[in-house]
Amino acid sequence: MSRLIVAIDGPAGAGKSTVARRVANRLGLLFLDTGAMYRAITWKAMQQGLPLDDEEAMARLARESRIELIPGENGDRVLIDGQDVTDAIRTPEVTRNVSQVSAHAGVREVLVERQRELSKEEGVVAEGRDIGTVVFPQAPVKIFLVASPMERARRRAKDLEAKGHPVDLDELAAEIARRDAYDSNRAVSPLKAAPDAVHVDTDPMTADQVVERILEIAHARTRA
């Protein structure tokens, strides 16, 4: 399965990163966290005080930045220009702004090309919002994860609180709903399922069960 591409899409908090990482490990493939790449650009723009609504400035920043996704025994590390920003890009502040930055066509053009480059030498399990529709439309395995807004809010709250960021559950649910609307209605690469994607409702499932379901789908698609 060295050149297999598994595309996992879905809204914020659906569990994409967690299960994609585990699926990649089980299949012996590279895990490609595309969301981390957009978060890294957002973090850098905020650090530099750049206007996040300026598409030209954001695209230039993306072109000039070096993003590295480094696998490790204790989790993947995210570096931008050599600086480890693994934890910094997961703060509520970055989360609130990443949809705006990732909506810029110029930013997406730069990062999609880099994502495709990473898949040329080996297979990948990639997660995001436009993986099966834009980044890897030819992927033989396409998954679209869904979960209720409140369940996604509970999961995100648990992750944030574990990192020392207390949150209000209702506010977080409202923020997730706003991100859903923004991501689904943006002009460039909106969040949507590919026509041939398999929908997996993660509400009643544990992460391990979701992983097993995706592996079942992957094996079935690759045998076909």
Side-chain angles (χ1 to χ4, degrees):
M1 291 189 180
S2 60
R3 283 289 292 123
L4 174 65
I5 294 177
V6 178
I8 301 178
D9 290 303
K16 300 186 300 294
S17 295
T18 298
V19 300
R21 184 179 291 106
R22 296 184 189 180
V23 169
N25 183 59
R26 291 281 294 276
L27 294 176
L29 302 176
L30 174 70
F31 167 54
L32 180 53
D33 184 351
T34 65
M37 300 175 76
Y38 290 102
R39 283 174 174 273
I41 296 299
T42 303
W43 175 86
K44 184 176 178 180
M46 292 171 64
Q47 290 295 301
Q48 295 186 2
L50 298 176
L52 304 184
D53 59 349
D54 187 332
E55 179 173 348
E56 183 177 346
M58 293 300 100
R60 182 169 58 252
L61 188 71
R63 287 193 299 270
E64 296 173 349
S65 300
R66 178 169 55 91
I67 301 173
E68 300 171 86
L69 304 177
I70 303 176
E73 292 184 2
N74 298 317
D76 299 338
R77 311 303 296 174
V78 182
L79 278 64
I80 185 164
D81 301 328
Q83 181 175 350
D84 190 328
V85 293
T86 306
D87 296 326
I89 64 173
R90 301 294 176 183
T91 62
E93 291 75 20
V94 171
T95 297
R96 279 193 292 270
N97 289 290
V98 65
S99 286
Q100 181 178 17
V101 174
S102 64
H104 293 311
V107 174
R108 301 201 75 85
E109 181 180 355
V110 172
L111 295 188
V112 166
E113 181 58 32
R114 293 183 186 177
Q115 290 155 17
R116 289 173 176 163
E117 285 291 329
L118 289 171
S119 74
K120 287 184 176 180
E121 297 300 325
E122 56 184 313
V124 300
V125 176
E127 64 89 3
R129 286 166 174 72
D130 63 346
I131 307 302
T133 55
V134 176
V135 185
F136 299 120
Q138 80 285 6
V141 181
K142 297 177 185 175
I143 308 294
F144 194 82
L145 299 183
V146 297
S148 64
M150 185 53 70
E151 176 60 25
R152 288 187 280 137
R154 280 193 287 265
R155 293 172 184 171
R156 184 57 58 84
K158 183 178 179 181
D159 290 341
L160 289 171
E161 288 169 355
K163 296 176 181 178
H165 301 292
V167 296
D168 180 282
L169 191 60
D170 290 334
E171 288 183 5
L172 187 56
E175 182 178 316
I176 285 176
R178 286 194 295 271
R179 285 194 66 189
D180 285 351
Y182 194 101
D183 292 342
S184 298
N185 293 291
R186 66 191 182 200
V188 181
S189 302
L191 165 68
K192 65 179 181 178
D196 55 344
V198 178
H199 289 242
V200 177
D201 184 352
T202 69
D203 259 15
M205 305 170 72
T206 66
D208 287 339
Q209 289 172 329
V210 177
V211 169
E212 293 302 326
R213 176 64 181 131
I214 293 174
L215 290 173
E216 289 176 3
I217 297 167
H219 289 309
R221 288 287 179 94
T222 53
R223 283 198 303 267

